[in-house]
Each structure stands twice: as structure tokens, then as C-alpha cells.
Amino acid sequence: TDMPIVIREKGSRGESNTHSIYDALDNGIFCTVTLASIAALESVAYGVPAFVSAPCAAHPLASTDLTKILTPYYPDEKLVRKHCCSLAYGQFTYTEMLNGTAWKLLNR
């Protein structure tokens, strides 16, 4: 492709990053390409297609074949929501589900 390519290196968790994935998404990027990153899931949830080269949380919603970069996969919005909910539901402990913490967080 002759599209512009922006490489964003991931800093450490404590490091302040002045150019986040959300900055890129807000600036109208065409797609996200990553090895296996939460950035791919955030991209797809934002409506921007993603390509991943290893299994990750975004794998069911992303493309893996970079030869299709000009015709990326756009998963259905309902599928994206269902997948994100499925991931979120797996983030709570048994106690958090029993005491209502999970329900409160999911209904914010």
C-alpha cells in the first residue's frame, strides 16, 4: 500500500505517552496493525479495523491476512459488543459477582 504508516512504540505502564491509540483513532487512521495487543481490540471497538498476527483478545474481530489491507474486515457492531461483553464478564471474581460489584460496574 502507499498509505501513510505511523509506528507507535509502546512505552512502559508508568510512562506517560503523549500519543495514545485514542489520539490515532480520533485522527482517522485507516486500520491498526499489531502483533497481539489490546490496541487492536480498542481499535475495533472504536470502529476501525485491525490486523493481528498472533492470537489475542481481538483475534475473533480482526483480520490476520495483511494482503487484504486495502479491504479489511469490519465486524458487525453487535458482534463487537457481544465479544467485548464476553471479555468483560470474565474479569470479575466469584465474590464480585455475588456481592453485586460486577453488576454495578457493568451497568455504569
Side-chain angles (χ1 to χ4, degrees):
T1 180
D2 59 355
M3 286 188 227
I5 297 172
V6 176
I7 297 173
R8 186 178 76 85
E9 292 185 27
K10 181 179 178 182
S12 67
R13 287 184 186 259
E15 198 175 309
S16 175
N17 190 341
T18 57
H19 183 69
S20 73
I21 183 67
Y22 299 109
D23 293 327
L25 294 168
D26 285 338
N27 286 322
I29 63 171
F30 178 73
C31 69
T32 301
V33 178
T34 184
L35 171 66
S37 171
I38 193 64
L41 184 62
E42 291 169 332
S43 180
V44 172
Y46 218 82
V48 176
F51 288 82
V52 296
S53 56
C56 65
H59 197 262
L61 305 173
S63 301
T64 57
D65 183 356
L66 280 173
T67 66
K68 309 253 189 233
I69 192 106
L70 297 177
T71 57
Y73 168 57
Y74 287 86
D76 178 80
E77 189 176 314
K78 287 181 183 178
L79 177 63
V80 173
R81 178 168 172 71
K82 183 178 177 181
H83 185 69
C84 288
C85 286
S86 175
L87 291 171
Y89 297 156
Q91 300 304 307
F92 299 106
T93 65
Y94 184 68
T95 301
E96 290 170 326
M97 288 186 261
L98 288 177
N99 70 19
T101 300
W103 184 253
K104 287 175 191 169
L105 288 171
L106 291 172
N107 285 293
R108 278 189 186 172

